[in-house]
Amino acid sequence: MQPNTTTPLLWQLVQNTSFNTTISPLAASAANPPNTIWFQTLAYIALSLDLLAAFGAVLGKQWLSHYKSNARGKDRQEKLDGLEAWHFHAVLLSFLMLLQISFFIFGIALSAFVWNQQGATAIAVVVVMAFGLFFYLFIVVASLKFPHCPFQTPISTFLRFIGRHLQAQVTAGWKGSKEMCSSYDPIELKESQEMTSTARSMRWIFNTSTNPEVISSAAWLLPTIRWTPEVNMTAACSQLVSTFAACFHDNALLSNSARRRALACGRALHHLVCNETIKTVISSDFMRFDDWTDWRHLSLPWGLERCKESFRQYATTFEGDHEDKARDSLRLAIVTGCPGFLQATDVALIWDGVFDWKEDLRTTDDFNWLVDFLVHFRKSETRDFDAMGNALLALSAMRDLGSDTRRDNYLDAVIFAMEADKPSRLRHTALRAMFDARFKLVEIVDKEKGEFREKLLKELAPALFTTTKPIAPQRSDDDDPDTVFNSKRDDCYLRLILTLAKQSDWRAHLVTAGHIERCTSLLDHVIMNSTLSVTTHSYYLAAILIRMNPSGGYRSSLGRATLTSALDSEPTNKEECRPITNLAAILPAVPEVRAPQGFPDNISEKEWWDLLKGAWRAMRWNDLYLEPEAVKALPGIVTYTLDLLKTPTARYDAGSLIRLVDRIYEALDGEAKLEVKRLQDALRNEVA
């Protein structure tokens, strides 16, 4: 291709003849070649993108200045929510993407231009540009595949955002999107946004502040906030836990400020744990916290007082907010009954919870408001069984049936809660309340006369049977509240029945209500459980069966014999204590002693022996010899054990009791020790 010399010559001619020396040579130059045009186009596009990125950077600076200006607390959180809702971070990254794209386009234009002018020289430029391009593509792919890759780029972040959005759309489907649009409610949407904004503001305070007073102030407000599932409070829980634990010191009285912080943080933690919509994680190491008792002494009376105030305000104003506050205050008070931060529905609170505190001087009159609370939620249009259960647990600390003006209402509420169609938690909290009041139940029947006494005997005995009657006998899981045998429930039930059975009127009504059959149905489960673990069921069940048989008749599937004494009888001489050596030989000569109505006559000698062996193990390993209630049942168990020693079942197994009886004998004193001495001597003679 020959160079064109016409244009320069014409330009020289015009330059010589013209007085205008400012004529630009571009005006007369020939048209640029096509390659030069698209090189310049790419370069100008790259320059435009650079200018646009710079413009976006200036705008971003202004936006950030607006965000920082005059924004505190909730307003600032609302602005932060706006940044997230409008993808502010993604918009700023898009400006960086424009800058990187402009570099890429400019590199293409430069490489193509140099290649068109000087091919050999362009090789070096093209190689460098290609290396940069492949390196960039590599880090984009790596950051997409591995989210924790340190070589993140704006493009990879943008592509990941697009991918998540498309995946969510595909998962939801067009049908779900249409339903969402059809159910759009601007008012509900605004309320939801305000609720989320408040919750996130609270979370921001816990995540950023280390001042205990600030954390305490925020913790007081935390239970009043409505939470949404998308708010994760895991980090806030960690801050609350550390502040809460720091309030307690070994053997030290809490200062007023420490008490206030402990109440605020502990109450907030209980609220977070009890609220299933909030994402929380509490370290398992914290569950070994040593000051749960101090926490209960602090929180339980405070929470009950708040509940009392709110309920009284509701009684005078009938405003629903006060009713809700009373319900929530009682729930947060009850959950302090056990160590740890438990759900209010946790069964451990029913069987292991402690609902009084150090120097608790309350009388039955002080529980009147709580009885009114219980009755209110029983008779209200929208019955709240959870609130009734919480009230029954709190009333268990009364260990009574209430004052004279409230005990009728209290008994009616308890019997109502024990009905078979009520939830298991409500029935079992009523059982726990009566268990703690068991000694008062015996005292009332012993000392009082009148309608309340008759009502107590006639209605409570059948209600107790209904409470523990297995609703789902086909279930075999011991943890199920309504299975045939539940360890915690039946331990409480057996101890309650044992206490009531020592009074003759109670004993008669318990037999009529079917409690002997209920106890007998537990026999196989108790014997099996006693071989697997050392529990108290064997001792209490054996004591009940002996105490409920006042005639002293002993029935066996292998034969019948007459026992020398019952539980409450005391031997008058050594002859009466001597076991019968040949039961079968004397059966025809001994008149049959009929067992009381309902008393089981199908318990074999082996079952009796296994039950009594479990009873002695229970007394030894559960320290039952320290409990007066268990020691009172000891004479009857000694007598039955002595009478069984000469049976074929126990003849070759008597040695297994010697060590247990020796240890129990060493721990006892008084008349109980003399009773065990009888058995100790008999065992040694039998083994010898």
Side-chain angles (χ1 to χ4, degrees):
M1 181 177 180
Q2 298 295 328
N4 185 4
T5 59
T6 304
T7 300
L9 292 174
L10 290 175
W11 166 249
Q12 186 67 32
L13 179 62
V14 173
Q15 185 74 15
N16 293 335
T17 58
S18 175
F19 295 102
N20 185 7
T21 59
T22 62
I23 296 177
S24 172
L26 294 177
S29 63
N32 292 330
N35 291 341
T36 304
I37 293 176
W38 72 267
F39 296 158
Q40 293 177 352
T41 301
L42 291 177
Y44 285 131
I45 291 175
L47 179 60
S48 300
L49 292 177
D50 287 339
L51 293 175
L52 185 59
F55 178 68
V58 174
L59 288 178
K61 182 67 175 177
Q62 293 177 349
W63 296 335
L64 289 174
S65 299
H66 174 71
Y67 169 76
K68 295 178 180 179
S69 62
N70 298 326
R72 291 182 179 275
K74 185 176 179 180
D75 293 337
R76 184 163 188 161
Q77 183 63 41
E78 290 177 351
K79 287 186 177 182
L80 179 60
D81 294 340
L83 296 183
E84 296 178 359
W86 289 90
H87 306 291
F88 180 77
H89 184 65
V91 172
L92 292 183
L93 289 179
S94 66
F95 297 145
L96 295 177
M97 288 175 55
L98 292 178
L99 191 60
Q100 293 177 1
I101 292 172
S102 71
F103 291 159
F104 174 69
I105 295 176
F106 184 78
I108 294 176
L110 178 62
S111 300
F113 179 76
V114 176
W115 182 271
N116 185 65
Q117 295 296 323
Q118 299 178 5
T121 307
I123 294 176
V125 178
V126 172
V127 168
V128 173
M129 293 297 176
F131 173 78
L133 176 62
F134 284 115
F135 176 75
Y136 188 77
L137 293 176
F138 170 77
I139 62 176
V140 168
V141 173
S143 58
L144 285 175
K145 187 175 182 180
F146 305 101
H148 298 292
C149 175
F151 308 118
Q152 298 293 326
T153 63
I155 292 180
S156 63
T157 305
F158 178 76
L159 292 177
R160 190 179 296 109
F161 169 77
I162 295 297
R164 286 197 300 264
H165 182 72
L166 292 177
Q167 183 179 5
Q169 290 293 332
V170 171
T171 303
W174 293 105
K175 182 178 180 179
S177 300
K178 291 180 180 179
E179 291 178 355
M180 185 178 298
C181 294
S182 62
S183 61
Y184 172 78
D185 188 345
I187 298 178
E188 291 184 0
L189 179 61
K190 183 177 180 180
E191 292 179 354
S192 177
Q193 289 176 346
E194 292 179 355
M195 181 171 60
T196 303
S197 176
T198 304
R200 289 181 175 176
S201 300
M202 189 67 63
R203 183 185 62 181
W204 177 82
I205 293 175
F206 287 116
N207 292 347
T208 58
S209 178
T210 57
N211 189 330
E213 294 300 329
V214 174
I215 295 173
S216 175
S217 299
W220 281 115
L221 297 176
L222 192 145
T224 64
I225 296 174
R226 297 175 58 191
W227 297 91
T228 54
E230 62 268 16
V231 180
N232 192 320
M233 293 294 291
T234 301
C237 272
S238 177
Q239 189 72 272
L240 285 170
V241 164
S242 60
T243 306
F244 174 78
C247 296
F248 296 90
H249 304 282
D250 294 338
N251 300 322
L253 295 176
L254 298 182
S255 63
N256 291 333
S257 60
R259 289 168 60 89
R260 184 178 181 277
R261 288 197 303 271
L263 282 170
C265 296
R267 186 166 164 267
L269 283 169
H270 278 297
H271 177 79
L272 291 176
V273 172
C274 293
N275 194 329
E276 297 179 354
T277 64
I278 306 175
K279 300 176 183 178
T280 57
V281 176
I282 295 181
S283 173
S284 58
D285 295 337
F286 181 67
M287 293 298 104
R288 295 191 291 269
F289 181 64
D290 297 330
D291 294 309
W292 291 115
T293 302
D294 293 338
W295 164 238
R296 186 183 76 251
H297 295 332
L298 175 64
S299 177
L300 185 59
W302 187 90
L304 291 176
E305 190 63 27
R306 301 288 84 71
C307 176
K308 180 180 179 180
E309 292 176 359
S310 299
F311 184 68
R312 284 182 173 175
Q313 290 177 357
Y314 169 75
T316 56
T317 62
F318 297 101
E319 294 181 1
D321 290 342
H322 295 306
E323 184 185 37
D324 293 339
K325 289 180 180 179
R327 185 192 294 111
D328 292 340
S329 297
L330 181 60
R331 173 174 55 83
L332 291 174
I334 289 301
V335 293
T336 63
C338 283
F341 295 112
L342 304 179
Q343 293 282 350
T345 56
D346 197 307
V347 294
L349 290 169
I350 300 177
W351 311 121
D352 302 323
V354 179
F355 304 106
D356 54 6
W357 55 87
K358 184 168 53 179
E359 298 179 359
D360 185 2
L361 303 178
R362 290 177 295 174
T363 64
T364 54
D365 291 332
D366 295 325
F367 288 88
N368 285 347
W369 72 270
L370 201 49
V371 175
D372 295 339
F373 180 96
L374 174 66
V375 173
H376 165 73
F377 283 103
R378 175 202 168 190
K379 295 183 177 180
S380 62
E381 296 180 357
T382 56
R383 287 174 175 167
D384 191 335
F385 292 143
D386 288 336
M388 289 183 64
N390 294 337
L392 285 168
L393 290 179
L395 285 165
S396 67
M398 179 170 56
R399 294 178 174 83
D400 203 324
L401 296 185
S403 63
D404 294 339
T405 59
R406 297 295 195 281
R407 63 180 189 174
D408 281 289
N409 291 335
Y410 181 44
L411 181 60
D412 290 339
V414 168
I415 294 173
F416 169 83
M418 289 182 173
E419 294 176 356
D421 60 341
K422 299 303 181 293
S424 60
R425 180 177 183 268
L426 181 60
R427 289 185 282 109
H428 294 164
T429 53
L431 176 63
R432 165 65 192 274
M434 292 298 97
F435 168 76
D436 286 339
R438 62 192 185 278
F439 298 111
K440 189 64 178 180
L441 296 176
V442 175
E443 180 184 338
I444 291 175
V445 174
D446 269 338
K447 297 181 178 180
E448 294 187 14
K449 302 292 182 181
E451 295 182 359
F452 183 77
R453 178 183 182 276
E454 296 303 318
K455 178 181 179 181
L456 184 63
L457 288 170
K458 292 181 180 179
E459 297 187 13
L460 186 58
L464 289 173
F465 178 80
T466 305
T467 302
T468 57
K469 182 180 179 181
I471 296 177
Q474 72 278 8
R475 300 177 183 174
S476 58
D477 185 6
D478 289 347
D479 294 331
D480 192 292
D482 289 325
T483 193
V484 175
F485 177 76
N486 180 279
S487 179
K488 293 287 189 179
R489 178 200 67 196
D490 291 326
D491 180 73
C492 181
Y493 167 72
L494 292 174
R495 294 179 65 184
L496 171 60
I497 297 301
L498 176 62
T499 303
L500 297 180
K502 69 182 181 182
Q503 208 278 339
S504 58
D505 291 333
W506 268 117
R507 189 160 55 238
H509 282 82
L510 291 175
V511 171
T512 303
H515 286 278
I516 288 184
E517 290 82 356
R518 172 60 185 146
C519 291
T520 307
S521 68
L522 300 175
L523 182 62
D524 292 339
H525 301 280
V526 169
I527 293 175
M528 181 180 298
N529 193 49
S530 66
T531 61
L532 300 176
S533 60
V534 182
T535 60
T536 61
H537 302 90
S538 298
Y539 189 89
Y540 292 124
L541 180 57
I544 288 172
L545 293 178
I546 296 171
R547 184 170 283 177
M548 297 280 275
N549 184 22
S551 65
Y554 164 63
R555 295 297 189 93
S556 170
S557 60
L558 301 178
R560 298 178 181 178
T562 303
L563 294 178
T564 58
S565 62
L567 173 68
D568 296 326
S569 63
E570 296 183 359
T572 57
N573 53 52
K574 294 184 178 179
E575 280 300 318
E576 290 179 330
C577 300
R578 187 178 303 157
I580 300 173
T581 58
N582 191 350
L583 296 176
I586 66 172
L587 276 176
V590 177
E592 180 180 349
V593 179
R594 302 184 62 84
Q597 181 182 3
F599 193 81
D601 59 356
N602 59 346
I603 302 179
S604 67
E605 288 181 354
K606 184 179 186 309
E607 288 174 327
W608 268 111
W609 180 248
D610 291 338
L611 180 63
L612 290 173
K613 283 198 306 180
W616 288 107
R617 283 196 298 267
M619 170 161 271
R620 166 68 178 91
W621 297 111
N622 291 281
D623 298 336
L624 294 182
Y625 47 79
L626 300 177
E627 298 183 10
E629 185 180 13
V631 172
K632 289 181 180 179
L634 191 57
I637 292 180
V638 169
T639 301
Y640 267 58
T641 307
L642 287 170
D643 283 300
L644 278 168
L645 281 179
K646 298 303 181 180
T647 61
T649 301
R651 182 174 302 166
Y652 300 104
D653 196 22
S656 62
L657 289 182
I658 292 179
R659 185 179 296 272
L660 293 173
V661 173
D662 288 345
R663 296 294 180 270
I664 296 172
Y665 175 78
E666 294 172 359
L668 289 171
D669 54 12
E671 296 182 0
K673 189 167 188 174
L674 297 177
E675 290 291 333
V676 176
K677 178 63 175 175
R678 295 168 51 211
L679 179 60
Q680 188 181 45
D681 295 341
L683 287 172
R684 294 188 184 280
N685 293 334
E686 186 68 26
V687 173

